[in-house]
């Protein structure tokens, strides 16, 4: 195992004031994003949009790594440079989404398990050769009064750990992403209870499968009220509940926690991260691995028009800068008003 290289890469991904851009939308998901701005999803439009993001000057000051979809890993920038090399030349670490998506879980109605372990060892070798130095696998945990079942939690935790072990064998840092969804009507207290169960199961499996904690990152949900809950927890309450849960379950050997935004608004995801970092030093770095919360303003500004590229890049740069500030605990609402 490439222990020191894994440790060094994991630490670099959570460098002070930097986080990760999740640009790993599947072909189906990026189609939905492009549909929202009336742009047809083709390989050319997907390449143009990713090129816009990756060539934004100054983003590397706040972005440590980019998670790519498989198609994107093998695409090139407008000048012919492979995207992985373009990013690496700017000091940004290329990563790759390796799971094949959440599928119905046999024997458990309405729950899901993430697939993609078959052939993963061979795929990881190809991804490493193409320049990927870290990877991501997302487990999806639905939350209601009755769900998740212990069965669902266990199979997703087992798959996450198996993926992580294979990544480290290949010299690739695994980002372990157990996402408790925020779409329901659950309270923040219910979210904390479920997140606690899920993290306990995940780290139990990681230990069983000999995953080196120093050479991985955790990408969890924040502990938050469900979108349909009539009582929405405030920023400070979310920060306190999230940190309480993480301190119970995440070993200090893990170098960093990079939160997913989980459908939160751009500003709220940033404010929650900032609040946590203001609550004092934690055993691990706290940063971000955001998709929509970094990209939404850029996508809206671009709308598929070449003349809008510069405005879109500035919108993306602003979100990257603000989240970089939040990773230091230095964000303020006034930063949203600034040009």
């Amino acid at each position: 195992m490439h222990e020191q290289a894994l440790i060094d890469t994991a630490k670099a991904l959570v460098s002070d004031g930097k986080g990760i851009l999740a640009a790993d939308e599947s072909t189906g998901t990026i189609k939905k994003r492009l549909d929202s701005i009336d742009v047809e999803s083709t390989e050319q439009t997907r390449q143009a949009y990713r090129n816009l993001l990756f060539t934004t000057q100054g983003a590397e000051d706040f972005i440590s790594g980019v998670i790519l979809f498989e198609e994107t890993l093998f695409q090139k920038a407008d000048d012919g440079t492979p995207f992985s090399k373009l990013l690496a030349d700017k000091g940004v670490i290329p990563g790759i989404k390796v799971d094949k998506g959440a599928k119905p879980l046999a024997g458990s109605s309405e729950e899901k398990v993430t697939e993609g372990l078959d052939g993963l060892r061979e795929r990881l070798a190809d991804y490493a050769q193409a320049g990927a130095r870290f990877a991501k696998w997302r487990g999806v945990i639905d939350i209601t009064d009755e769900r998740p079942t212990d069965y669902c939690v266990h199979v997703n935790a087992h798959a996450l750990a198996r993926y992580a072990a294979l990544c480290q064998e290949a010299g690739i840092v695994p980002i372990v992403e157990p996402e408790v969804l925020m779409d329901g009507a659950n309270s923040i207290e219910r979210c904390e209870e479920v997140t606690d169960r899920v993290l306990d199961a995940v780290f139990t499996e990681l230990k069983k499968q000999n995953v080196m904690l120093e050479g991985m990152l955790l990408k969890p949900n924040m502990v938050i009220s469900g979108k349909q809950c009539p009582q929405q927890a405030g920023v400070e309450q979310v920060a306190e509940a999230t940190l309480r849960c993480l301190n119970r379950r995440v070993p200090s050997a893990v170098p960093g926690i990079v939160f997913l935004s989980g459908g939160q608004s751009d500003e709220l995801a940033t404010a929650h991260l900032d609040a946590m970092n203001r609550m004092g030093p934690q055993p691990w770095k706290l940063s971000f691995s955001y998709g929509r919360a970094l990209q939404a303003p850029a996508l809206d500004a671009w709308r598929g028009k070449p003349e809008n590229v510069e405005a879109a890049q500035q919108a993306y740069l602003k979100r990257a800068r603000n989240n970089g500030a939040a990773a230091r605990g230095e964000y303020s609402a006034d930063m949203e008003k600034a040009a």
Side-chain angles (χ1 to χ4, degrees), residues 54 68 72-77 81-90 92-95 127 129-132:
F54 304 161
L68 306 170
T72 319
L73 178 64
F74 295 100
Q75 283 181 328
K76 297 179 180 180
T81 305
F83 277 145
S84 59
K85 184 177 188 304
L86 182 150
L87 292 168
D89 287 349
K90 298 174 75 165
V92 178
I93 302 172
Y127 298 151
Q129 188 171 13

Side-chain angles (χ1 to χ4, degrees), residues 109-111 141-149 180-187 189-191 193-195 197 226 228:
S109 64
E110 300 184 20
E111 294 186 294
I141 308 294
D142 192 20
I143 176 171
T144 67
D145 290 342
E146 296 81 25
R147 298 193 297 271
T149 62
V180 176
L181 299 174
M182 60 174 286
D183 299 326
N186 56 278
S187 67
E189 290 81 10
R190 176 64 175 154
C191 182
E193 174 190 339
V194 172
T195 302
R197 278 177 58 201
Q228 300 175 43

Side-chain angles (χ1 to χ4, degrees), residues 82-287:
F83 277 145
S84 59
K85 184 177 188 304
L86 182 150
L87 292 168
D89 287 349
K90 298 174 75 165
V92 178
I93 302 172
I96 178 72
K97 172 187 175 179
V98 301
D99 69 69
K100 296 296 185 180
K103 309 295 182 183
L105 176 60
S108 181
S109 64
E110 300 184 20
E111 294 186 294
K112 295 183 177 181
V113 62
T114 301
E115 296 183 349
L117 290 172
D118 289 350
L120 180 57
R121 175 179 275 120
E122 292 74 23
R123 287 192 289 126
L124 286 168
D126 292 339
Y127 298 151
Q129 188 171 13
R133 291 171 52 197
F134 72 101
K136 190 203 82 169
W137 177 291
R138 173 177 177 250
V140 180
I141 308 294
D142 192 20
I143 176 171
T144 67
D145 290 342
E146 296 81 25
R147 298 193 297 271
T149 62
D150 288 343
Y151 170 40
C152 173
V153 171
H154 170 73
V155 295
N156 277 287
H158 179 85
L160 281 163
R162 181 68 185 134
Y163 138 81
L166 286 167
C167 282
Q168 291 189 341
E169 177 187 80
I172 289 175
V173 169
I175 293 183
V176 174
E177 181 180 357
E179 179 179 3
V180 176
L181 299 174
M182 60 174 286
D183 299 326
N186 56 278
S187 67
I188 187 173
E189 290 81 10
R190 176 64 175 154
C191 182
E192 183 173 356
E193 174 190 339
V194 172
T195 302
D196 183 88
R197 278 177 58 201
V198 170
L199 291 177
D200 184 31
V202 167
F203 280 97
T204 297
E205 285 294 328
L206 289 169
K207 181 178 180 180
K208 286 180 180 178
Q209 299 192 39
N210 297 318
V211 174
M212 183 179 66
L213 299 184
E214 295 86 351
M216 62 157 278
L217 296 176
L218 178 70
K219 181 175 178 176
N221 55 284
M222 297 178 188
V223 175
I224 196 168
S225 308
K227 285 183 180 178
Q228 300 175 43
C229 180
Q231 286 189 313
Q232 291 292 308
V235 170
E236 296 296 312
Q237 187 180 1
V238 167
E240 289 171 356
T242 303
L243 289 176
R244 182 168 58 241
C245 188
L246 294 173
N247 273 293
R248 283 197 206 106
R249 297 302 180 190
V250 183
S252 59
V254 175
I257 295 172
V258 288
F259 291 101
L260 57 90
S261 53
Q264 300 174 60
S265 70
D266 317 334
E267 294 85 356
L268 197 54
T270 307
H272 284 148
L273 175 61
D274 178 73
M276 281 184 260
N277 276 307
R278 288 179 186 269
M279 290 179 178
Q282 303 298 328
W284 356 256
K285 290 284 189 68
L286 298 177
S287 191

